[in-house]
Structure formats: C-alpha cells, structure tokens
Amino acid sequence: MEIFLDTGIVDEVREASMMGVIDGVTTNPSLIAKSGRGQDEVIKEIASIVDGPISAEVIATDWEGMIKEGKELAKIHDNVVIKVPMTEDGIKACKWFSDNNIKTNVTLVFSPNQAFLAAKNGATYVSPFVGRLDDVGHDGMAIIDEIRTVFDNYGYTTKILAASIRHSTHVRDSLMVGADVATIPFKVLKSLFKHPLTDVGLANFIADYNKANKKA
Ligand code: E4P
C-alpha cells in the first residue's frame, strides 16, 4: 500500500519525506487554508520535495470551471493530480481530464456506487472518506472493502485511496481490506512508528549494555 501525506504544511512534507516512507501528498482547501498560504505556491513547494502524485483540489462547482482550474493546476508540475468532487459536474470533468491524460482524484466519495461512476469515467484515484463515515455512525472501512470488491469484480484500475484517516487502526484496516493508498495526517504517520513494547525493550537493551560495560 502506498502512503500519501494528507497535509498543506510544507514542513510536515519535508520531515515525512526524510523518513522515506511517503509516496505522494494530498491536499484539500481546508488543509491549504491551515497553511495560511496560497494553493499554487504550496503545491509548487511540495512538488520540489516529493517525487510522487500531489493532489490539488478545484474550487469551481461547474464542470467547465473545474476543467479551467484543473488545466492551470496541472501546469504547476507533472505530478499534480486534479481533485474533483463526487458530483455530476465533477464526474463529467473527470472524463475530460482522463481523455486528456490528466490524472484525477475524485474526492468526497461515500458509497461504492459513487466510486463505480468515478471509475467508469477514468478516475485515477477515488477517495472514500473513512473517518467522516465513522463520525456519522457508519462503518467507513466497510465502504473501502466493498469498493475493493467492485473494482476487482470488473477489473477497474482506479486506485482506492483511503482518506479521512484519523488513527493508526484506520491504517491497519486499510492494509487488511486492500486499499491501494492511504492518505495519512502527519500526526497519524508518526504514531505508526510507536509501540510501548519497543520503547521498553530498547530501554532494557541499553540498560543491560551499560551494566555489562561497567563491569568490564
Ligand atoms: C484527503 O484527500 C481528504 O480531503 C482528507 O483526508 C479529509 O480528511 P478529514 O475528513 O479528516 O478532513
């Protein structure tokens, strides 16, 4: 499974990139707003750090507007993936981008039927929002599992990008149900490295080493 970092903060991208485990980055208007900077400059800087797909979202809600914005975003860097919302206009724009060899990420996906329509129109990625489904009492991970079955049944090559990941269990479950990618906030990424038994084990090894070396 690939790991994308879900952020608009360039320092987080830099630090995660040094860990060597991230394959790409996703942003959305809310994440970019948190950075206090403009989308274009943030995307440009991220592209200079990470050599992988970087999702940048359109703001227009009509398909002509999405295509216009998407064409400009695609000019920033070859790795830019155009994020369009899961609406009729978004899916129409998705078809145009796909026909013109521009990669897309269909966002705000909450059902297998929505993922199916995006895949039919050539989406590169679909982003089912696991955490937001959990928030309203649904089982977010079950949707990922169902989309996996749909795509495998019909041979769709659209990648399933598990989004709205809130904690390490979401990452483990994404691995178990066969998501192609999980996009992970920086804090959650850092938590994946941790286990209390690792800390205790390391402290014991160092203490034993120090004891042994004092005796010698
Ligand atoms: C990423 O592409 C999504 O926009 C993001 O994962 C949404 O996460 P949230 O539900 O925590 O805002």
Side-chain angles (χ1 to χ4, degrees), residues 6 26-28 83 107 127 129 132 163-166 183:
D6 199 19
T26 52
T27 64
N28 64 31
K83 220 171 172 192
T107 190
S127 289
F129 277 31
R132 292 194 198 183
S164 189
I165 295 285
R166 302 277 168 76
T183 189

Side-chain angles (χ1 to χ4, degrees), residues 110 129-140 166:
F110 295 96
F129 277 31
V130 177
R132 292 194 198 183
L133 277 163
D134 289 353
D135 289 346
V136 294
H138 289 261
D139 180 354
R166 302 277 168 76

Side-chain angles (χ1 to χ4, degrees), residues 26-103:
T26 52
T27 64
N28 64 31
S30 311
L31 293 170
I32 296 282
K34 277 189 203 157
S35 77
R37 302 172 64 194
Q39 168 158 262
D40 288 13
E41 58 163 322
V42 169
I43 298 294
K44 204 176 284 175
E45 205 173 336
I46 291 175
S48 72
I49 301 167
V50 175
D51 184 19
I54 300 155
S55 289
E57 191 159 338
V58 297
I59 300 300
T61 52
D62 61 301
W63 68 275
E64 293 101 330
M66 290 182 202
I67 290 171
K68 199 165 158 237
E69 273 180 41
K71 278 180 177 163
E72 289 306 310
L73 289 169
K75 282 184 200 158
I76 297 176
H77 196 279
D78 285 349
N79 284 340
V80 170
V81 174
I82 310 304
K83 220 171 172 192
V84 294
M86 179 56 233
T87 58
E88 281 187 35
D89 280 75
I91 292 304
K92 208 163 160 184
C94 175
K95 173 93 169 77
W96 187 91
F97 288 123
S98 161
D99 289 346
N100 287 277
N101 294 317
I102 294 174
K103 291 188 174 153

